[in-house]
């Protein structure tokens, strides 16, 4: 997730999964980077591809709109040993991206989509690097593309597909339509199908798998301020007892560790600016007091973070009503597309200017 799953957050999730469930079976995907920025070696993009020394597999997500740049980026990943897994994201619903035919608008162009997937697969041929593809149900209810996208990705050699079970028009609003994950599972028969949308608790993941027959799940907002969710998922999948959710004191320790890891990655100044949004997610549902929340929202140093966290009441148990969406929600809206975009699904012209930097999926 853009702005979230950097090396600091992934390290924290892996540590907590190890500590609380005794395993690290989750696949933690790097923040999305654009293929063009990678190929052009933009310093900020290169920094985003930082992985931990022990991190395995190193999973990199690409945002891309054209086969040639995709091929170049994937070759770079192979020859420079930048990652062990490539995921491609076609889920972004941001108007600035769809307006140019990128993100969740792109799978409508079936042939172009197929050429992009094929380019990444070709670039990784003969390596152990699997290519997986993530997309939404489609542009809106009148333009579903997920079944075609799944079949095309499968045909072109993707190792798995993941469906965020919303249309682009839905953005992050309403509920995900898990029924469409079941439909995709029926359509794609030779590679795993992963389901995504509205998993906030381990029980949601189990319910999604039971309801749809999907082979695994992808977590988005559920892990915002809840990096221990993966330990709960591991336990649920192996039938082990659910680890007890952390008390406020344990959450404070997790925030401190997160802050330290962010400071290592970004330096203390930027690390502290970055931890602020996470703190709001961490404290969601906990009693913390408006003054303390306000002070934490302005935290500037690790020392100050320590001092502020010390004033939390460590004994407060995890609140029962602390689940549900955090991060993006928003409301549904029509999708802005390039002029004439829906006229010809077989047109493979690379959309102009769609390889802009953006965030989200
Ligand atoms: C802050 C934020 C950043 C996101 N960034 C990405 C991203 O970089 N790549 C991606 O595939 N999806 C991204 N997503 C979408 C999530 O991966 C996921 O598909 C979506 O939130 C639906 O799942 P959920 O209901 O579990 O949140 C992002 C979502 C959020 C809230």
């Amino acid at each position: 997730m853009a702005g979230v799953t950097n090396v600091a957050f992934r390290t924290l999730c892996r540590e907590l999964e190890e500590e609380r469930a005794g395993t690290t079976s989750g696949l933690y995907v790097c923040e999305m980077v654009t293929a063009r920025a990678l190929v052009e070696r933009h310093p900020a993009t290169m920094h985003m591809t930082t992985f931990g020394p022990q991190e395995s597999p190193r999973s990199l997500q690409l945002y891309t709109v054209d086969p040639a740049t995709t091929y170049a980026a994937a070759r770079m990943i192979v020859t420079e040993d930048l990652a062990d897994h490539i995921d491609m994201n076609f889920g972004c619903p941001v108007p600035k991206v769809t307006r140019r035919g990128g993100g969740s608008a792109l799978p409508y162009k079936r042939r172009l989509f197929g050429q992009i997937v094929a380019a990444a697969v070709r670039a990784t041929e003969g390596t152990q690097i699997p290519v997986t593809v993530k997309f939404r149900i489609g542009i809106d209810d009148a333009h579903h593309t997920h079944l075609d996208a799944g079949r095309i990705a499968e045909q072109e050699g993707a190792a798995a597909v993941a469906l965020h079970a919303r249309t682009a028009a839905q953005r992050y609003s309403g509920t995900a339509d898990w029924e469409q994950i079941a439909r995709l599972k029926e359509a794609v028969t030779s590679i795993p199908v992963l389901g995504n949308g509205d998993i906030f608790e381990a029980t949601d993941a189990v319910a999604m798998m039971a309801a749809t027959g999907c082979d695994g799940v992808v977590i988005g907002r559920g892990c915002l301020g809840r990096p221990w969710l993966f330990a709960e998922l591991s336990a649920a999948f192996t039938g082990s007892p659910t680890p007890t959710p952390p008390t406020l004191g344990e959450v404070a320790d997790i925030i401190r560790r997160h802050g330290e890891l962010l400071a290592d990655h970004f330096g203390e100044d930027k690390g502290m600016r970055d931890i602020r949004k996470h703190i709001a997610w961490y404290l969601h549902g906990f009693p913390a007091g408006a003054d303390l929340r306000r002070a934490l929202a302005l935290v500037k140093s690790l020392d100050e973070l320590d001092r502020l966290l010390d004033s939390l009441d460590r004994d407060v148990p995890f609140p029962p009503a602390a689940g549900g969406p955090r991060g993006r929600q928003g409301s549904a809206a029509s999708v802005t597309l390039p002029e004439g975009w829906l006229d010809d699904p077989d047109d493979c012209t690379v959309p102009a200017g769609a390889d802009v930097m953006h965030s989200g999926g």
Side-chain angles (χ1 to χ4, degrees), residues 20 34 56 76 101 121 127 151 159 169 179 184 269 280-281 311 342 354:
R20 298 175 150 253
T34 73
S56 172
M76 180 175 163
V121 171
T127 74
R151 284 187 287 247
E179 177 59 28
L184 182 64
D269 209 41
W281 293 328
S311 28
L342 300 176

Side-chain angles (χ1 to χ4, degrees), residues 1-5 30-33 61 87-92 134 136 164-166 172 176 196-200 218-222 224 281 326-328 359-361:
M1 277 188 288
V4 177
T5 61
C30 173
E31 295 177 273
M32 175 176 57
V33 298
Q61 191 185 54
D87 186 44
M88 285 196 289
N89 178 21
F90 295 95
C92 182
K134 178 166 177 266
R136 288 188 178 231
H164 175 189
R166 285 185 175 82
Y172 295 85
N196 171 230
D198 296 345
I199 295 175
F200 295 104
V218 176
I219 306 297
R221 294 163 298 167
L224 300 178
W281 293 328
R326 295 167 303 285
R328 293 178 188 165
S359 65

